[in-house]
Amino acid sequence: MTRDPAAARAAFLEAGAWFAELVEELRPHHWTRPALGSWDVRALVGHTHRALVTLADYLGTPAEEAVCTATGQYYALSAAATDPAAVAARGTAAGQELGRHPGATVRASLERARRALARVPVEEDPVIRTVVGGTRLGAYVPTRTFELAVHGLDVAAACSLDRRPPEAVLADAGHTAIEIAAPAGRLPEVLLALTGRQGLPPGFTVLP
């Protein structure tokens, strides 16, 4: 599935701005609430914040060969390349690295990511070095929007806040979910559920 690169970048930046506003809304009693798996809210915010950090970091580390050229492919490769325990530990550490003013930290990372993207003309699609190896920028950007949207919703739910990403962000994240589901053969179940034909089985996910 093709994406408009300018629209994908705009959705990422909009997702980052929404997430930054959400973090700024959190109060002291929110940060220690259980959130996702072993993570409390601070660890989950730290993990999600990495969607901004990694984009800026990876744009500074070009790769010669692209092993990943599609957004859905990135998640399959990532599942094979990462250790869940290491991801959990990294999220906990990232939460502590947010410091005393997490909202300001997230804002600064969003601006750094914005500047890094602005240095790459939208018509270019460089290969950057990611956790799965060389990845096309156009394939990587939507994964960051997806992380910000889904985990932002996780944070809002953990904190009992009625907040949702902007429509353009939700549409972009939904596009990514379909791209993840397609290679794994999960689209029939998704289509039947979305059209009211049948429910999804317990624990169903499009993620590898």
Side-chain angles (χ1 to χ4, degrees), residues 15-24 45 48-49 52 106 148 152 155:
W18 172 76
F19 180 68
E21 290 173 5
L22 176 64
V23 173
E24 289 167 344
V45 170
T48 310
H49 169 239
L52 302 170
V106 173
L148 290 162
V155 170

Side-chain angles (χ1 to χ4, degrees), residues 4 12 18-20 24 31 49 65 70-71 79 82 95 113 116 141 143 147 151-153 155 162 178 206:
D4 175 65
F12 164 74
W18 172 76
F19 180 68
E24 289 167 344
W31 292 98
H49 169 239
E65 181 181 1
T71 299
T82 56
V141 169
T143 71
E147 295 290 315
H151 287 317
L153 287 168
V155 170
D162 184 16
I178 296 301
V206 297

Side-chain angles (χ1 to χ4, degrees), residues 54-68 74 116-117 120 125-141 143-144:
T54 56
L55 181 65
D57 286 348
Y58 292 163
L59 277 168
T61 53
E64 292 184 1
E65 181 181 1
V67 299
C68 178
Y74 176 85
L117 266 180
V120 182
D125 193 17
V127 182
I128 58 176
R129 190 172 305 282
T130 74
V131 68
V132 305
T135 303
R136 287 286 177 190
L137 177 62
Y140 189 66
V141 169
T143 71
R144 303 306 88 192

Side-chain angles (χ1 to χ4, degrees), residues 18-39:
W18 172 76
F19 180 68
E21 290 173 5
L22 176 64
V23 173
E24 289 167 344
E25 195 172 342
L26 301 185
R27 297 296 174 257
H29 67 277
H30 287 134
W31 292 98
T32 56
R33 286 190 180 187
L36 184 67
S38 64
W39 287 333

Side-chain angles (χ1 to χ4, degrees), residues 177-191 204-206:
I178 296 301
E179 287 188 299
I180 298 169
R186 295 189 176 101
L187 279 183
E189 298 100 310
V190 172
L191 288 172
F204 178 88
T205 177
V206 297

Side-chain angles (χ1 to χ4, degrees), residues 2 7 28 35 44 60 64 76 78 81 110 116-117 121 133 141 149 169 182 185 202 206:
T2 60
L44 178 56
E64 292 184 1
S78 181
L110 172 59
L117 266 180
V141 169
V169 174
V206 297

